[in-house]
Every structure is written in C-alpha cells, then in structure tokens.
Amino acid sequence: RRITLVSAPAGFGKTVCISEWAESLAHPVAWFSIDVADDDPGRFFTYLIAALRQISESIGSDIDGILRSGQLPPTDVITTTLSNDLLDLDALFVLILDDFHLIQDRDILTVFEFLLANWPPSLHLVLVTREDPPLPLARLRANNQLTEIRAADLRFATSDIEQFLNQTMSVPLSDTDVATLEEKTEGWIAGLQLATLALEAADQSSDHSAFITSLSGSHRFILNYLTEEVLNRQPAEVQGFLLKTAILDRLNIDLCDAVTKRVDSASMLEYLINSNLFVLPQDEHHQWYRYHHLFGDLLRDLAQTQIPADLVTLHQRASLWYRAQGMVSEAIHHALLAEDYPTMIDLIERHALDMLMQWHVKTVDSWIQAIPADWQANSFQANLAFAWLHLLHGDHQRVMPYLSRLQAMLDQGNILEAPSHQAKWLALQVMMVNAQQQPELGLALGQQALDIVPDDDDHVRSLIYLGMGRAYQELDQYEAAVQAYQMIIQQGQAAGNTVAQMLGSAALGLLAIEHGQLHFAFEVVSQSLTRMEHAGSLPPISTALYGELGEIYYNWHQLPEAQVYFRKAIQVSHLSGYNDAELYHHVILSRLYQIRGDLKAAAEEIDQAVNKLRVTPIAAVREEIISQQVSVRLAQGYLAEAEAALQVAQVLPHGGFTLPVLKGGQKVSRPDTLLYLSTLRIALHRIDRRDERHYLDPCINLTDALIESCKQRGYWPLAIEGLLIRAQFLGLGQQNGASALQDVATALELAEPERGLSIFVQEGPAILDMLTALKQPTQLDGPLAEFLDSVLEAITTPQSGQTPQSSHLDPLSGREVDVLRLIAEGLTYQQVADQLFVSLNTVRTHIKTIYSKLQANNRTKAIETAYRLNIL
C-alpha cells in the first residue's frame, strides 16, 4: 500500500512502535521528526529533502541550494521536482514523518496532496500523527492503498502489561492489580509508565492495590495526577530541574546549565534517562535531547502554576545563551516569550540587516509581526531595519511608512547616538536619493556614513558601498564605481557573507558588461559562482550571476554555453519565486534565438517578457524588453508592431513617426540610448524598404549624438552598435562609402580587445559587404585582420541548424526528444505520459534511456547537456 497511517493520541507509543518496525526493514528508511517550528514551508522542505537525500543524493538537488539560502521556491516547482526525482528511483524505500499533526500549512499539505495523486512507485509513506491529517484518506482507503494503525491497535493487552511491569519496570503486581491497572488506563502506555514510576518511587509498605484503585477520570486527569505523583516523589532538585528546563524545546547540557544556574546538568540528564522520565535523544551523539511532547506539555502547565515568577527570568537566560551561540531566531523566540521587548528589539537591531543581506526576508518579516505595535512604533533602529528589509526586497511602496515614521522621530529630536545606527540611516538615505536622481548628494551622504561606521560592521559598510557604487555609475565615474563594488566583495569576504560577495560581484559584473569589459566581467562573475557552488547555497542573487555569465558567452558568440547559463538563470529565478531576472532572461533568450535565425522562438520569448511586464512593470528591464521587441518585429517585417512598441514607451507619438532631437554634447542615459537606437532601426527600415530618404540626414545627426554620448559615458557596446547603424545610414547615401567603411573599422577596433563577436552577427547581411571590403590587404592587418576573419566566419556560418551531437553520444530518438522537452518545461512524468498518450512506465523507460545516452545521472544534467548540444 502507499501509506501507513499511525494515528493515536499522545502517549500511545506511536514513535517507538514505528521505530522498532523500521529497524527490522530490509528497505532504506528516511525519518523526519517534525517540530512546531517546522510548520513553515521553507524550513519543512529543507529538512524533508535532507532526510530524502539519505536515500539518494539526486532527490531535491534542483531546489536544495535555493532552500538552504533561505528562499522558498513556488509550490508547483517543489511538487514537480520532488515527484520527478522520486519517480527516478527504482528501489523501494520508506519515508517516515513523525508528529505530522504539527503540519497545518496549506502549501505543505498541497505538496502531499499532489504526491498522493501522482504517486511514485518507489515510495512508501508513514505518517505518525495525533490526529488524521487533512489529506484525501477516504480515497486511499477505498482503493486499498492505506494501512491504518490506531489507538486500539497500540493499546497494551494484559500480557503486554505483565511483561512491561515485570521485565521493563521491575514492579511485580498481582493479577488483580494488573487487571485493574489495565482497566483504569485502557492499555495506555504513557499512563502505565507514569503509574509504575509512581509505584516504583513509593515506600515498600504502601498499598499498591489502593493506589491503583484510586486512579479514575479521563486520560488527561489521570496523566496530570500521575505526573504530579511522579514529580512529588522525585528529589526537590530534580523537580526544580524538570520545571525550569520545560521551557526549552530542546535540551543541551550547556543550555540547561545556563537556564537553571547549575553545573551538573550532564548528570541530571543521565539520571532522567535512566529513570525513564520521558527524555528522548535528538541526535546520534546524544548532545541534544527533548522531553516527550506529552510530558513536556504537562511540565509547562505545572511550571505556570508552581514557578510563574521564575518564567520570565528562565526565558531571558535561554535567550542570552542562544544569543551567545549566534542562534538569533531562538534568542528572539525566548525574548518574545519573556515579553522582553527591549532585548528583542536590540537583537533585531543588531541582526536584522545581517539576515537581510543573506536574503532571510521571511524570517525578519516574522520578527516584525511579533513586535507589539507600540514597541515597533517607538524603536528607531527597528524601523530602520524594517525599511531596509523592504528596500532590499525591491518593495519601495512598503518602505515609505517606515521612512515617514523615522523622519518623524528625527523631527522630534530622536538623536542617533550609536555610530552604526547613524551609518545605517545614512546608507538608507544614499539609496533613496539615488532613486531621486541626486547622485552627488548620495556620494556625500555615503562618505559621511563611511566616516562613522564601525570597523567591524561589514554588512553596513557593504550597503554603503552599494549605494555609492550606483551613484558613481550615474556620474559616469567608472573606476570609482568598480572600486566601490570591489569593496562590497571584500567586506563580504571579511564577514563570511557569501551573499554580500555575490551582490557585489553581480553589480560589478553588470557594470563591466555594460562598459564592454567582458574579460574582467568573466573573471569577477565566474569566481563568485565558484565560491557560491562550493558553499552549496543557491540564493536568488545567483540568477544574476548565471545570467551575466550567459551574456558574456553570448557576446563572445559561444552560443551553446550562453544558452546553458541563460537556462540556469531562468531556473534559479523560477525556483526562487523572483520574476525580475526571469523576465530579463526572456529578452536574452530572444536575442539568442534571433541571432540563430529562429525568429519564431525569438518572438515567443519576447512576447512572454512583454506579457509579464504588463503584470509586473519592472523599470530596470523595461527598455531592454522594448528594444528587443522592436528588433524582433523588424526582423519579421512587422513595422507597425515595432512602432507600436515605441509608442507604448512614449518614445514615438501615436499616429506618426518622428525622430527625437538631441543637442551636441548632450549626455543620454543607457536606457534612453537603447530606445533611441531602436527608433533609428525603425528609420533604417523605412529608408531601406520604403525609400523614405528624407529621414537620412536627421538619422545620421541623431546617431552622431548617441555615439558621442556613449563614448563620453563609457558605454562601448552601445557605441559600437551606434557605429554599425550609422555605417548603414552612410551606406545608403551617395559618396559616403568611405565613411561607412571607417565606422565599421572603428567598431572592429573597439570590439577586438574583448572579442565581442555577436554585436556584428546581430547586424548580419546588412554589414557583410562592408566587412568583406575591409578584408582587402591594405585595409586591416595584424590582430584586427584576424578578428575580422572571426567576425566574417560567425556571420556566414548558419546558426539555425542543430549542432551535431557529440560523436561519443548515441543520438536521441524523436520520441525521446519529445519527452525531454516536456520535462525541461517542468511537467511531471505523469503529465508527460498524459500529453504523449503513453503509460507512466513508458515515460520512465524513456527517461532512463535519455540519461544513459546523455551520460547524465539526473534531470538537470540531462537538460543542460541537451541545451549545450542543441538537442533542445
């Protein structure tokens, strides 16, 4: 059967029963003991995959890095990934989820509902729970797919009780007393154990029969009664230890010493274990323990009545210990239980930015929700951290209330005394004034922040440099911007923060690409990705690095490699739930398909980007999308659609075509330059196809201004593009042939040091005659002549066909390609089977054959290999 459901109230021995059964199995077992805190999708699936990877390292490999970075992939991605990975397994294994009743989160339950509907044959699932989960159990029961073990099955019979009393607990009782105890407890092992502990601790002269007969009432009443009986018979120091440590979810010798102010917690825990007092080990090395959930709940209830005045102090001690261990979430949890809001605020002030820099946005957001409104309103530093949370998350609208509250506090004379707090406020201001196009002010504020930030506050220093780097970019101070971003990387390394390093690397890599420094960008980005992959984490910022590496390969005209990294970038973006990068990479893939001559695929990709832009208007990539949209539409011969795209962007007026007018020496931003170059491409199309030559001189003048602006601002790839467009305009005029050749030669000179080939291939046949003319011996020589040969070869080599598969790989059949394509689109095996009208087993057979032919051991490797070889 698919599932074993072990459902019974607390104290019936569910976990012990399944544990002993699992030890007897010949099949491998994955075990996940669920905690209250695990009712969070990110935490739950991180631990679930960790448990499953004991069965096979391939399970969850696609999303493991994302989860470990603190991010949660969309639910459909989790379900598809887990379902497909489990379907890849042949050998039967067992997954045991203990205390499943603690799971109430809808997203987690949705994944299990999906698994039940798309069941992997290799998996047998065991749910150990106090209550039936909200899953379609009736359907499983009706289909004979559910084995149920309930309280009636777990109750101890008379023979079981006799064996337990005589052999395990060494408390011999008469047959009458055994029968009475069975009747009173109804074979409930927790009650039996407590009863025998009470009897064991009683004086030998005590009347056991009378004590057993006195037991009456509900299980809860009996349990309360027996717990107090057992506790009252323990030495006072043991009672005190139990009540004080009951506030802890997990027990550790040092933690228990810190909370109880004792020095003998090691021997105390050993005593409790030897006395069968419901203490359970949590790891193989017996460093962490916990009380049985039922016993722990009762101890906490007793602590509320017996030591209420001590509870605040106990939680404060626990918070202090966790804080010293760097376990911030646990420290904040105990500060909250103590209602110690000053400590909680202080912890948030100190650690919120650190957590945010590592992209643990959900955790910090949960801290915000836990703080009472009056405390939240009165803490300057907490509000500062929350403003940073939303700013780094790109949610400027949610930043504003915190900024208003912060400003009001400042206006009321709330002076920042700590240098680190002042630096955080100034760093925040740098980002805000940059958004308001005031880079000079941003640099001034950034310098003030650097002057006062403490030497050891690496995270805040990284944020300051991030803001200053962007200000330097706006001011066209390239070297200063490079230095600022390098400082972020250095600060991240000093703080051991991989995400900060990647943030600096992504910013620096993009800056270098925009300025045509491809080899420098490759060095920065590839080194950062190497560090990231070595760390085993896959935070959302990694999508930018994969995309940048793909763009570098694209510019070098190494298209198979470019496609692998673009697909990886989209995959990480999708897994992370962030669509900004995914949207931009549709643009890049569209360019990739267009340069290969596949206009249908290029149009499909850019249409996806345009449609997503309507839903989520991402300002940072808007112009890139529009520019590529114009390029594809013109390549398809759809002039009206190309012009419509610029009309939406308000570059062209509705109802007519006009050129923007720029003054000589006027600096144009990079986004505006992209749109103006698109306008020029439309004009080139009009002149070439419609002979509207009256646009020729105005277009040359506009191109002159754009090229000059790009040179001044250091945007060399755009300057090269402008030169190639101007060469085409000049080529259409009379007696301008020499000038056109000179523009192409200048473009080659600018591109040759970085080997930027694709920018020439993009123009294709339009510049082929001019490039051929430059091949004359008197025109170019040395490295420039060799680079020209590479350009000509790239333009004249067909790109639309598939690259032959490697000779040592067996070719895939047409049906195998169909299966692989559907899997690459994210479909489950069952969905592939439904779409191809074949059985699930047939799909699995195809998958195994594909893996063998492509020499891959999982889906991700197979898809990457297929893209690299142009099979897909």
Side-chain angles (χ1 to χ4, degrees), residues 509-553:
L510 180 60
L511 175 69
I513 290 171
E514 290 178 349
H515 285 76
Q517 305 295 311
L518 299 179
H519 290 93
F520 176 49
F522 179 82
E523 179 183 354
V524 170
V525 172
S526 59
Q527 287 180 1
S528 184
L529 281 172
T530 299
R531 287 193 294 266
M532 178 207 70
E533 291 170 350
H534 179 73
S537 179
L538 203 62
I541 190 66
S542 62
T543 190
L545 293 169
Y546 282 122
E548 287 169 12
L549 197 55
E551 192 160 359
I552 293 166
Y553 278 118

Short mmCIF file of all heavy atoms in Angstrom, two decimals, residues 509-553:
data_model
loop_
_atom_site.label_atom_id
_atom_site.label_comp_id
_atom_site.label_asym_id
_atom_site.label_seq_id
_atom_site.Cartn_x
_atom_site.Cartn_y
_atom_site.Cartn_z
N GLY A 509 29.88 42.81 -12.15
CA GLY A 509 29.82 42.11 -13.43
C GLY A 509 28.94 42.82 -14.44
O GLY A 509 29.31 42.99 -15.60
N LEU A 510 27.78 43.29 -13.99
CA LEU A 510 26.87 44.00 -14.89
C LEU A 510 27.49 45.32 -15.35
O LEU A 510 27.39 45.68 -16.53
CB LEU A 510 25.54 44.26 -14.18
CG LEU A 510 24.48 45.00 -15.00
CD1 LEU A 510 24.14 44.21 -16.26
CD2 LEU A 510 23.23 45.26 -14.16
N LEU A 511 28.13 46.02 -14.42
CA LEU A 511 28.79 47.28 -14.77
C LEU A 511 29.85 47.04 -15.85
O LEU A 511 29.94 47.79 -16.83
CB LEU A 511 29.44 47.88 -13.52
CG LEU A 511 30.28 49.15 -13.72
CD1 LEU A 511 29.38 50.32 -14.09
CD2 LEU A 511 31.09 49.46 -12.47
N ALA A 512 30.66 46.00 -15.66
CA ALA A 512 31.72 45.70 -16.62
C ALA A 512 31.15 45.32 -17.98
O ALA A 512 31.67 45.73 -19.02
CB ALA A 512 32.62 44.59 -16.08
N ILE A 513 30.07 44.54 -18.00
CA ILE A 513 29.45 44.15 -19.28
C ILE A 513 28.92 45.38 -20.00
O ILE A 513 29.11 45.54 -21.22
CB ILE A 513 28.32 43.14 -19.03
CG1 ILE A 513 28.90 41.79 -18.58
CG2 ILE A 513 27.48 42.94 -20.29
CD1 ILE A 513 27.86 40.81 -18.11
N GLU A 514 28.24 46.26 -19.28
CA GLU A 514 27.68 47.46 -19.90
C GLU A 514 28.77 48.36 -20.47
O GLU A 514 28.53 49.10 -21.43
CB GLU A 514 26.84 48.24 -18.89
CG GLU A 514 25.54 47.54 -18.50
CD GLU A 514 24.74 48.30 -17.47
OE1 GLU A 514 25.28 49.27 -16.88
OE2 GLU A 514 23.59 47.93 -17.23
N HIS A 515 29.97 48.28 -19.91
CA HIS A 515 31.08 49.09 -20.39
C HIS A 515 32.02 48.29 -21.31
O HIS A 515 33.11 48.76 -21.63
CB HIS A 515 31.86 49.68 -19.22
CG HIS A 515 31.15 50.81 -18.55
ND1 HIS A 515 30.09 50.61 -17.70
CD2 HIS A 515 31.32 52.16 -18.63
CE1 HIS A 515 29.65 51.78 -17.27
NE2 HIS A 515 30.37 52.74 -17.81
N GLY A 516 31.58 47.09 -21.70
CA GLY A 516 32.34 46.33 -22.68
C GLY A 516 33.56 45.61 -22.14
O GLY A 516 34.35 45.08 -22.93
N GLN A 517 33.71 45.52 -20.81
CA GLN A 517 34.87 44.85 -20.22
C GLN A 517 34.53 43.37 -19.98
O GLN A 517 34.36 42.92 -18.84
CB GLN A 517 35.25 45.54 -18.91
CG GLN A 517 35.50 47.04 -19.04
CD GLN A 517 36.73 47.31 -19.91
OE1 GLN A 517 37.79 46.73 -19.70
NE2 GLN A 517 36.58 48.20 -20.88
N LEU A 518 34.47 42.61 -21.06
CA LEU A 518 33.96 41.25 -20.98
C LEU A 518 34.88 40.31 -20.21
O LEU A 518 34.43 39.48 -19.41
CB LEU A 518 33.72 40.69 -22.38
CG LEU A 518 32.69 41.44 -23.23
CD1 LEU A 518 32.57 40.79 -24.61
CD2 LEU A 518 31.33 41.48 -22.55
N HIS A 519 36.17 40.41 -20.42
CA HIS A 519 37.10 39.50 -19.73
C HIS A 519 37.14 39.80 -18.23
O HIS A 519 37.19 38.88 -17.41
CB HIS A 519 38.51 39.61 -20.34
CG HIS A 519 38.60 39.04 -21.72
ND1 HIS A 519 38.43 39.79 -22.86
CD2 HIS A 519 38.82 37.76 -22.14
CE1 HIS A 519 38.56 39.02 -23.92
NE2 HIS A 519 38.80 37.78 -23.51
N PHE A 520 37.10 41.07 -17.87
CA PHE A 520 37.06 41.44 -16.45
C PHE A 520 35.77 40.93 -15.83
O PHE A 520 35.77 40.37 -14.72
CB PHE A 520 37.18 42.96 -16.33
CG PHE A 520 37.05 43.47 -14.91
CD1 PHE A 520 37.76 42.91 -13.88
CD2 PHE A 520 36.20 44.53 -14.62
CE1 PHE A 520 37.65 43.38 -12.58
CE2 PHE A 520 36.08 45.02 -13.35
CZ PHE A 520 36.80 44.44 -12.31
N ALA A 521 34.64 41.11 -16.54
CA ALA A 521 33.36 40.64 -16.03
C ALA A 521 33.38 39.13 -15.84
O ALA A 521 32.88 38.60 -14.84
CB ALA A 521 32.24 41.04 -16.98
N PHE A 522 33.95 38.40 -16.80
CA PHE A 522 34.03 36.95 -16.71
C PHE A 522 34.82 36.53 -15.47
O PHE A 522 34.41 35.61 -14.74
CB PHE A 522 34.67 36.37 -17.96
CG PHE A 522 34.81 34.87 -17.93
CD1 PHE A 522 33.73 34.07 -18.26
CD2 PHE A 522 36.00 34.27 -17.56
CE1 PHE A 522 33.84 32.68 -18.23
CE2 PHE A 522 36.12 32.89 -17.52
CZ PHE A 522 35.04 32.09 -17.86
N GLU A 523 35.92 37.18 -15.22
CA GLU A 523 36.75 36.85 -14.05
C GLU A 523 35.97 37.05 -12.76
O GLU A 523 35.95 36.19 -11.87
CB GLU A 523 38.01 37.71 -14.05
CG GLU A 523 38.93 37.44 -12.87
CD GLU A 523 40.14 38.38 -12.87
OE1 GLU A 523 40.30 39.14 -13.84
OE2 GLU A 523 40.90 38.34 -11.90
N VAL A 524 35.29 38.20 -12.64
CA VAL A 524 34.54 38.52 -11.43
C VAL A 524 33.40 37.53 -11.22
O VAL A 524 33.22 36.96 -10.13
CB VAL A 524 33.99 39.96 -11.50
CG1 VAL A 524 33.02 40.23 -10.36
CG2 VAL A 524 35.13 40.97 -11.47
N VAL A 525 32.59 37.32 -12.26
CA VAL A 525 31.39 36.51 -12.14
C VAL A 525 31.72 35.04 -11.93
O VAL A 525 31.14 34.37 -11.07
CB VAL A 525 30.49 36.71 -13.38
CG1 VAL A 525 29.32 35.73 -13.36
CG2 VAL A 525 29.97 38.13 -13.44
N SER A 526 32.65 34.51 -12.71
CA SER A 526 32.97 33.08 -12.59
C SER A 526 33.57 32.75 -11.23
O SER A 526 33.27 31.70 -10.65
CB SER A 526 33.91 32.64 -13.73
OG SER A 526 35.12 33.38 -13.70
N GLN A 527 34.41 33.64 -10.70
CA GLN A 527 34.99 33.41 -9.37
C GLN A 527 33.89 33.40 -8.30
O GLN A 527 33.91 32.58 -7.38
CB GLN A 527 36.04 34.47 -9.06
CG GLN A 527 37.34 34.32 -9.83
CD GLN A 527 38.36 35.38 -9.48
OE1 GLN A 527 38.12 36.25 -8.64
NE2 GLN A 527 39.51 35.33 -10.13
N SER A 528 32.94 34.32 -8.43
CA SER A 528 31.86 34.39 -7.44
C SER A 528 30.99 33.14 -7.51
O SER A 528 30.60 32.58 -6.48
CB SER A 528 31.01 35.64 -7.69
OG SER A 528 30.01 35.76 -6.70
N LEU A 529 30.69 32.67 -8.72
CA LEU A 529 29.89 31.45 -8.86
C LEU A 529 30.63 30.24 -8.31
O LEU A 529 30.01 29.35 -7.71
CB LEU A 529 29.54 31.23 -10.33
CG LEU A 529 28.39 32.08 -10.88
CD1 LEU A 529 28.26 31.90 -12.38
CD2 LEU A 529 27.07 31.74 -10.19
N THR A 530 31.92 30.19 -8.50
CA THR A 530 32.72 29.08 -7.95
C THR A 530 32.62 29.06 -6.43
O THR A 530 32.42 28.00 -5.82
CB THR A 530 34.19 29.20 -8.39
OG1 THR A 530 34.26 29.13 -9.82
CG2 THR A 530 35.01 28.08 -7.79
N ARG A 531 32.75 30.24 -5.81
CA ARG A 531 32.63 30.31 -4.34
C ARG A 531 31.23 29.89 -3.89
O ARG A 531 31.07 29.18 -2.90
CB ARG A 531 32.94 31.73 -3.86
CG ARG A 531 34.41 32.11 -3.91
CD ARG A 531 34.68 33.38 -3.14
NE ARG A 531 34.03 34.54 -3.74
CZ ARG A 531 34.62 35.35 -4.61
NH1 ARG A 531 35.88 35.12 -4.98
NH2 ARG A 531 33.99 36.39 -5.11
N MET A 532 30.22 30.35 -4.64
CA MET A 532 28.85 30.02 -4.27
C MET A 532 28.59 28.52 -4.37
O MET A 532 28.01 27.91 -3.45
CB MET A 532 27.88 30.78 -5.18
CG MET A 532 26.41 30.49 -4.92
SD MET A 532 25.41 30.73 -6.38
CE MET A 532 25.94 29.36 -7.41
N GLU A 533 28.98 27.92 -5.46
CA GLU A 533 28.73 26.49 -5.65
C GLU A 533 29.51 25.67 -4.63
O GLU A 533 29.05 24.62 -4.19
CB GLU A 533 29.07 26.10 -7.08
CG GLU A 533 28.09 26.70 -8.09
CD GLU A 533 28.52 26.51 -9.54
OE1 GLU A 533 29.69 26.09 -9.75
OE2 GLU A 533 27.72 26.80 -10.45
N HIS A 534 30.69 26.15 -4.25
CA HIS A 534 31.47 25.46 -3.22
C HIS A 534 30.75 25.53 -1.88
O HIS A 534 30.77 24.57 -1.11
CB HIS A 534 32.86 26.09 -3.10
CG HIS A 534 33.72 25.45 -2.05
ND1 HIS A 534 34.28 24.20 -2.21
CD2 HIS A 534 34.10 25.88 -0.81
CE1 HIS A 534 34.98 23.89 -1.12
NE2 HIS A 534 34.88 24.89 -0.26
N ALA A 535 30.08 26.67 -1.59
CA ALA A 535 29.35 26.83 -0.34
C ALA A 535 28.08 25.99 -0.30
O ALA A 535 27.53 25.74 0.77
CB ALA A 535 29.00 28.31 -0.13
N GLY A 536 27.59 25.57 -1.48
CA GLY A 536 26.41 24.72 -1.53
C GLY A 536 25.09 25.45 -1.44
O GLY A 536 24.04 24.82 -1.38
N SER A 537 25.13 26.78 -1.39
CA SER A 537 23.89 27.56 -1.32
C SER A 537 23.58 28.14 -2.69
O SER A 537 24.47 28.32 -3.52
CB SER A 537 24.06 28.68 -0.29
OG SER A 537 22.89 29.46 -0.19
N LEU A 538 22.30 28.43 -2.91
CA LEU A 538 21.89 28.96 -4.20
C LEU A 538 20.90 30.11 -3.97
O LEU A 538 19.72 29.98 -4.26
CB LEU A 538 21.24 27.86 -5.04
CG LEU A 538 21.24 28.05 -6.56
CD1 LEU A 538 22.67 28.09 -7.10
CD2 LEU A 538 20.47 26.93 -7.23
N PRO A 539 21.38 31.24 -3.43
CA PRO A 539 20.47 32.36 -3.15
C PRO A 539 19.96 32.99 -4.43
O PRO A 539 20.55 32.82 -5.50
CB PRO A 539 21.35 33.33 -2.36
CG PRO A 539 22.74 33.01 -2.76
CD PRO A 539 22.76 31.53 -3.04
N PRO A 540 18.86 33.74 -4.35
CA PRO A 540 18.27 34.32 -5.57
C PRO A 540 19.22 35.20 -6.37
O PRO A 540 19.11 35.26 -7.59
CB PRO A 540 17.10 35.15 -5.02
CG PRO A 540 16.74 34.48 -3.75
CD PRO A 540 18.02 33.98 -3.16
N ILE A 541 20.17 35.86 -5.71
CA ILE A 541 21.09 36.75 -6.42
C ILE A 541 21.93 35.96 -7.42
O ILE A 541 22.46 36.52 -8.39
CB ILE A 541 21.99 37.51 -5.42
CG1 ILE A 541 22.78 38.62 -6.11
CG2 ILE A 541 22.93 36.57 -4.70
CD1 ILE A 541 21.94 39.73 -6.65
N SER A 542 22.03 34.63 -7.23
CA SER A 542 22.84 33.82 -8.15
C SER A 542 22.27 33.82 -9.56
O SER A 542 23.00 33.60 -10.53
CB SER A 542 22.97 32.39 -7.64
OG SER A 542 21.71 31.76 -7.56
N THR A 543 20.97 34.09 -9.70
CA THR A 543 20.39 34.13 -11.04
C THR A 543 21.02 35.25 -11.86
O THR A 543 21.20 35.11 -13.07
CB THR A 543 18.86 34.30 -10.98
OG1 THR A 543 18.32 34.12 -12.28
CG2 THR A 543 18.45 35.67 -10.49
N ALA A 544 21.36 36.37 -11.20
CA ALA A 544 22.02 37.46 -11.92
C ALA A 544 23.40 37.03 -12.41
O ALA A 544 23.80 37.34 -13.54
CB ALA A 544 22.14 38.68 -11.02
N LEU A 545 24.12 36.28 -11.59
CA LEU A 545 25.46 35.84 -11.97
C LEU A 545 25.41 34.85 -13.13
O LEU A 545 26.19 34.93 -14.08
CB LEU A 545 26.17 35.23 -10.77
CG LEU A 545 26.49 36.21 -9.63
CD1 LEU A 545 26.94 35.45 -8.39
CD2 LEU A 545 27.55 37.20 -10.05
N TYR A 546 24.49 33.89 -13.06
CA TYR A 546 24.35 32.94 -14.18
C TYR A 546 23.97 33.68 -15.46
O TYR A 546 24.48 33.38 -16.54
CB TYR A 546 23.29 31.89 -13.85
CG TYR A 546 23.77 30.81 -12.91
CD1 TYR A 546 23.14 30.57 -11.70
CD2 TYR A 546 24.86 30.01 -13.25
CE1 TYR A 546 23.57 29.57 -10.83
CE2 TYR A 546 25.30 29.01 -12.39
CZ TYR A 546 24.65 28.80 -11.19
OH TYR A 546 25.10 27.81 -10.34
N GLY A 547 23.05 34.65 -15.33
CA GLY A 547 22.64 35.42 -16.50
C GLY A 547 23.78 36.22 -17.09
O GLY A 547 23.93 36.31 -18.32
N GLU A 548 24.58 36.84 -16.22
CA GLU A 548 25.71 37.63 -16.69
C GLU A 548 26.74 36.75 -17.39
O GLU A 548 27.32 37.13 -18.42
CB GLU A 548 26.34 38.39 -15.53
CG GLU A 548 25.48 39.55 -15.04
CD GLU A 548 25.95 40.14 -13.73
OE1 GLU A 548 27.09 39.81 -13.31
OE2 GLU A 548 25.21 40.91 -13.11
N LEU A 549 26.98 35.55 -16.84
CA LEU A 549 27.92 34.64 -17.49
C LEU A 549 27.39 34.23 -18.86
O LEU A 549 28.14 34.15 -19.85
CB LEU A 549 28.15 33.41 -16.61
CG LEU A 549 29.38 32.56 -16.91
CD1 LEU A 549 30.65 33.40 -16.90
CD2 LEU A 549 29.50 31.42 -15.91
N GLY A 550 26.08 34.00 -18.94
CA GLY A 550 25.48 33.69 -20.23
C GLY A 550 25.61 34.84 -21.21
O GLY A 550 25.88 34.63 -22.41
N GLU A 551 25.45 36.07 -20.73
CA GLU A 551 25.57 37.23 -21.61
C GLU A 551 27.00 37.41 -22.11
O GLU A 551 27.23 37.81 -23.26
CB GLU A 551 25.10 38.49 -20.88
CG GLU A 551 24.91 39.67 -21.80
CD GLU A 551 24.03 40.74 -21.20
OE1 GLU A 551 23.54 40.55 -20.08
OE2 GLU A 551 23.84 41.77 -21.86
N ILE A 552 27.96 37.11 -21.26
CA ILE A 552 29.36 37.19 -21.68
C ILE A 552 29.62 36.18 -22.82
O ILE A 552 30.22 36.52 -23.84
CB ILE A 552 30.30 36.93 -20.49
CG1 ILE A 552 30.20 38.08 -19.47
CG2 ILE A 552 31.75 36.78 -20.96
CD1 ILE A 552 30.81 37.76 -18.12
N TYR A 553 29.18 34.93 -22.61
CA TYR A 553 29.35 33.93 -23.66
C TYR A 553 28.61 34.32 -24.94
O TYR A 553 29.07 34.07 -26.05
CB TYR A 553 28.87 32.56 -23.17
CG TYR A 553 29.89 31.82 -22.33
CD1 TYR A 553 29.63 31.50 -21.00
CD2 TYR A 553 31.11 31.44 -22.88
CE1 TYR A 553 30.56 30.81 -20.23
CE2 TYR A 553 32.05 30.76 -22.12
CZ TYR A 553 31.78 30.45 -20.79
OH TYR A 553 32.71 29.79 -20.05
#
